[in-house]
Amino acid sequence: MKTYNIAALLVGVPLLMAFSIPLFGFISKQLAKWITVLTLGFEFFFALYIFLWHIYPFNVIMGNWVPPFGENLYIGPFATVLIILVSFVGLMISIYNLWSANHGDVVHFALLFLMFVGGSIGLISTGDIFNIFIFMEITGISSYALAAYGPERRALGGAFKYLVVSSIGSTLYLFGVLLIYTQLGTLNIAEIAARISQTTSGLLTFAGILLVAGLAVEAELFPFNGWVPDTYTGAVNPVSATLSGIGSVGGVYVLFRILMTVFGKDGNFVSTYGNIDLMSLVAILGSATVVIGELSALAQKNVKKMLAYSSMAQMGLVAIGFSIGSKMGSYAGVFQLVNHSVAKAMMFLILGVIVSFGIGERIDDMKGLWYKSPFLTITFTIGSLSLLGLPLFGGFWSKFALVDASIQRGGWYDFVIAIVLFASVVEAFYYLRIVGYMFTSKPISTDKIKVSVSPAVPIVAFSILIIAIGVFPQIVGGISWNAAHELTDKMGGYVLNVIPTIVGH
Amino acid sequence: MNSLLALLIIPVIGSAAAAILQRYRIVERLITFLTFSLTFLFLFGIKTGNLFTWHLDFLGKNLEMGLQITPLSIFMLYMTIAFGIVLTFYNLSEKSKMKGFLLLLTLAASNWIFMSADLISFFFAWELMGWSSILMIFGGRREAESRQGALYYAMMSIGGSYSMLIGIFLLSNLTGTFSIQSNVSYLVSILSVHPWWVLGILSLFFAAFMIKSGIFPFHTWVPYTYGEAPDGFVPYLSSVMSKYGVYGFLIFLPLTLGAHVPTVLGLAWPNYVLLWFGSITAVVGSVLAFMQDDVKKLFAYSSFSNLGFILAAIAIFTPIGLTAGLFHAFNHLLFNGAIFITVIAVISKVGTTRMSEMGGLWQKMPLTFLTFFVGIAAAAGIPPFAGFGSKWMIFQAMISHGLIFATILLFFSSIASFLYLMRAFHAIFLGQLSHRYDNVKEVSAIGKITESFLLGALIFFGILPGFILDPINSIVSSFGLKPLPTSGYEYINGFFSSINMVSIFIVVIIAFIFGFTLFAVVAKHKKVPQEDNYTAGQIPQDWNLTPEMYQFSYDFYEPMDKELAPFLKVKIDGFFKGFGESVEYIGGAVKEIFTGNVQIYTYLAIGGLVIFIIAGWVVW
């Protein structure tokens, strides 16, 4: 067991800074915003350091109480790649917020944002299923408030729907945790994972269903994703970007940490203990989500709503990738998760810039954007092409890997992938339609859009990253492969790294 | 720098430069032209057998990616890049909204397709070519229509590439490698054992190729897209991009050479099926073409009709079939390029694509007229121009296999092509000049140079086909077939006989001089304005007649249209459109799940949970 306790700062610093932001806010509102940038910059570079110097996998032990007795953070390759992703997206959105968050309660907005990102990082790194619940509540509560931020009335409605559905989700999750605790008497993920086969199969199944249902809310899987369109559409654009770029990452992480590490039964393809195979259940949910998300997006006339539905559909893709249960499948899942977060966050930010210039968010309003701002048009196009999985952009490789993994698995996954590819054609239609509107139709007024520096920085950074991944897939590929290994080999990849002495049952 | 790599990198760099400078149209076009030329220079550095490999850390493996040069890739590269130079040179003076940086990306993708040695790079390049050309089509003359055309193309193209993607993985999961060569030889080795399985894989690939080349029944997107694409890009679409499908077919067609499969009339049955697809395409294209009034659409139909000829020829895959197919591919590139470049020159001058609004333009644009004339003569297969030889060889290849019905179809298509080419020729250039076009001028100097070059090429390769047949022979022998005998540059050697094109040229010239002399000496001309014709003393306005209705080609083939009307009710196009509409309709219905009512969402979540629990119970 390798320990690296200083990494507790990854969770501690953002939460500490979040609650001290009101103090900075007394000095200046600008300072409060800059504090988020600095904190998330620290997070990002620290995570990058962990990645580049290959410090992972390691544990953070609190108060020298070794797991399973104490609480621990476990940062393996999967957590590392997601923490880098979350802190990078968070950093970029906080830079964007320097420009965009300038009305209303800016200080509390900064506080909530930082709390949300910190909570997500905690969610990803913790090694304890009850702490997962706590971090879920931290991110949840901050995101309800974030979603309600802004002058528009629809934000309140969206936030309320999110609150209701998400509360149901976390309650179900808590029930699931409770059932496991009554069976095994421990909350430590590694120990539960090692002893999962000692539980009563029926209760375990019930607990699994509760956990999947609860976590599917955050992972945006149908039928638990009713909140997605309204909340994404209602929230101000940087918040939508945060929810889809960071929030969903946390949701997916927890879902598959529980399914693959805790419930997982190693084999050629990971399945779960209990009476039904929860992985197949998630695959069905994922396919339904992809189809429903893409078809609903097709019928939308509002670009932001379209992005919301597409976000849902993409999470379905991610879920399908992981649910295949093979190494290749998890690889595709991680890869797709990274690509989606980066591209979708960027697209919401671009939409934010467009809207701030008084252009509406309907498809028709996108007409002739090329003549007003080639920069925004090209970056939006890069984002959509990446989501469509077209080459030169990151999404190409993840979709490629996803199809490979499904066909390797064979059986009924052949149908799943056929559905997915059909849905992708639908997706191609509506994204290319927007892009088409942007490139054609000279608008009546061709007033140029001057994008100032602070929103331009994240947009440029995101598009460079998308192209970089598209040209050099190994940037994400290498660590995704390690993450896939961690997920599919639960004893070697996770449990023994946390509790070296434990014996799997 | 490695020449193979240069063929990919230079266009990408050029594309970046063009994208940055896209605001200055002339600079952008110049960069596009120069990049094409520079790429062409690097082409001289590559030879058959050149290889370049690198490793990609992807899918948890160290995958070997590669570029390789076969005689076929050299042929394709020379052909397409040279045509690109001509087109971009012409585009220097062209004003449509074509984006040079996308054209250069397409060039990089195109080079990559022809050079890739493994399926990953092939698919990468294929998709890159796909999206860059889709984006290019946005921005045609008519906004809404060009958007529709691009989306139609995009749907077909992406659908095709997904089918190819599934094929790639089904194949590579069995062989454990992505190398094209080893996968093809694997298919050969199991062909006699599992013929249906191989056919399944091949159809997944062939669907993509058929879509890209516009082969029946996937031809429906072609007229929409060619008709609405920016003028400067249409020649590239029809001359170059349709050849990717041909190249794809040629990767997999050698399959049936060595294996023992059931044959029909001496042809392996997959080839026989393909041959029929090709023949039907040729007929469908021709028949639909002569009902068009839109000149770009007319030549779009004509273009894929010729692709049908090419496919039918290469499907035979004997030395003469392959030679004929490749030769026709080259000729198609040349004459379709010449036709489309002259057509867009005319469109840019008269501002319409409807043929019934043109007419008599030969007086204003003589050089364009001449190039167009030679172009359609070549397309119709009239000696001595390029196009004659290849059609002649195609018929020979078909007859030598005793494929009577397919040959009849192709003959029919060839005759139908006379009909529509004649119509276009007359409607655009002959007849009376409308007063609207009194101020139309001949194309600019750049256009003149381009047109003269194409004119020269059409005649040159017509009378000296050996310059093309030589490289084709080396391709034929690279497939392990015995090339046709060669005897001098001016000869085309067929299955039954050979033709000396130079003597045919001389005969045609003499006949032309004789005919022209007769025309000049004997005929009496009288010029009358357009309205003076046909009316027999009536006042046209009383009968609601407009000048367009006097146009020679107005409702040109009306009787034929009536005869064919019952057949035209069967619309494949309608199938695709109806499918799209129903998907959209279902989308509208599915959307209603998300009503915006939080109670519904709660019920959904709880309902989902209950269903899960019941499911768990039942299994329990």
Side-chain angles (χ1 to χ4, degrees), chain A residues 335-394:
Chain A
F335 212 140
Q336 178 74 21
L337 190 60
V338 173
N339 285 330
H340 169 250
S341 290
V342 172
K344 194 53 70 60
M346 176 176 89
M347 288 165 85
F348 273 118
L349 296 188
I350 293 171
L351 201 59
V353 179
I354 294 174
V355 170
S356 79
F357 279 87
I359 303 167
E361 53 188 38
R362 296 174 61 80
I363 303 186
D364 295 347
D365 301 323
M366 298 298 148
K367 273 185 183 169
L369 188 70
W370 170 258
Y371 300 96
K372 297 179 189 165
S373 170
F375 167 68
L376 292 178
T377 310
I378 286 184
T379 45
F380 192 90
T381 308
I382 289 174
S384 6
L385 295 184
S386 176
L387 289 178
L388 297 183
L390 292 174
L392 276 196
F393 309 111

Side-chain angles (χ1 to χ4, degrees), chain A residues 68-368:
Chain A
F69 305 108
E71 293 185 354
N72 70 316
L73 306 181
Y74 173 71
I75 296 181
F78 191 27
T80 310
V81 61
L82 293 189
I83 291 174
I84 293 177
L85 174 67
V86 164
S87 54
F88 176 70
V89 175
L91 174 65
M92 288 305 142
I93 296 174
S94 65
I95 293 174
Y96 182 89
N97 281 341
L98 292 178
W99 167 80
S100 85
N102 47 16
H103 46 72
D105 194 346
V106 175
V107 176
H108 286 133
F109 182 74
L111 184 160
L112 290 164
F113 180 76
L114 202 48
M115 198 163 105
F116 181 79
V117 181
S120 297
I121 291 174
L123 192 68
I124 290 165
S125 51
T126 182
D128 180 303
I129 51 173
F130 185 71
N131 277 359
I132 286 179
F133 173 74
I134 293 173
F135 282 118
M136 264 168 71
E137 288 296 295
I138 291 179
T139 52
I141 288 165
S142 46
S143 57
Y144 311 145
L146 279 176
Y149 179 80
E152 290 190 63
R153 194 182 153 80
R154 61 181 184 174
L156 287 174
F160 179 68
K161 284 163 198 163
Y162 184 27
L163 173 92
V164 171
V165 181
S166 183
S167 314
I168 296 174
S170 38
T171 315
L172 295 179
Y173 178 82
L174 194 59
F175 269 123
V177 171
L178 191 76
L179 283 177
I180 291 179
Y181 187 66
T182 55
Q183 291 277 304
L184 295 175
T186 175
L187 291 169
N188 187 284
I189 290 178
E191 197 186 354
I192 300 173
R195 292 173 47 201
I196 192 81
S197 56
Q198 298 172 351
T199 50
T200 317
S201 186
L203 270 181
L204 186 70
T205 311
F206 189 46
I209 288 173
L210 290 173
L211 290 174
V212 169
L215 292 170
V217 173
E218 289 297 322
E220 301 180 10
L221 296 182
F222 184 80
F224 306 96
N225 56 3
W227 59 276
V228 172
D230 295 322
T231 311
Y232 279 36
T233 319
V236 291
N237 283 296
V239 173
S240 308
T242 317
L243 287 175
S244 77
I246 300 176
S248 57
V249 172
V252 167
Y253 169 84
V254 179
L255 180 59
F256 288 99
R257 173 61 79 211
I258 300 266
L259 282 185
M260 298 180 79
T261 304
V262 177
F263 280 69
K265 188 166 24 172
D266 282 354
N268 264 348
F269 301 103
V270 175
S271 54
T272 61
Y273 283 98
N275 292 329
I276 52 175
D277 183 15
L278 296 172
M279 296 291 272
S280 310
L281 184 70
V282 171
I284 295 169
L285 290 188
S287 315
T289 313
V290 172
V291 173
I292 289 172
E294 303 291 21
L295 285 177
S296 312
L298 178 67
Q300 285 306 322
K301 296 276 178 279
N302 180 314
V303 176
K304 198 168 174 188
K305 217 164 197 168
M306 205 180 262
L307 290 181
Y309 282 115
S310 145
S311 185
M312 179 197 284
Q314 293 278 332
M315 294 323 285
L317 272 187
V318 174
I320 289 174
F322 282 111
S323 74
I324 292 168
S326 65
K327 229 171 150 179
M328 189 68 80
S330 309
Y331 174 78
V334 179
F335 212 140
Q336 178 74 21
L337 190 60
V338 173
N339 285 330
H340 169 250
S341 290
V342 172
K344 194 53 70 60
M346 176 176 89
M347 288 165 85
F348 273 118
L349 296 188
I350 293 171
L351 201 59
V353 179
I354 294 174
V355 170
S356 79
F357 279 87
I359 303 167
E361 53 188 38
R362 296 174 61 80
I363 303 186
D364 295 347
D365 301 323
M366 298 298 148
K367 273 185 183 169

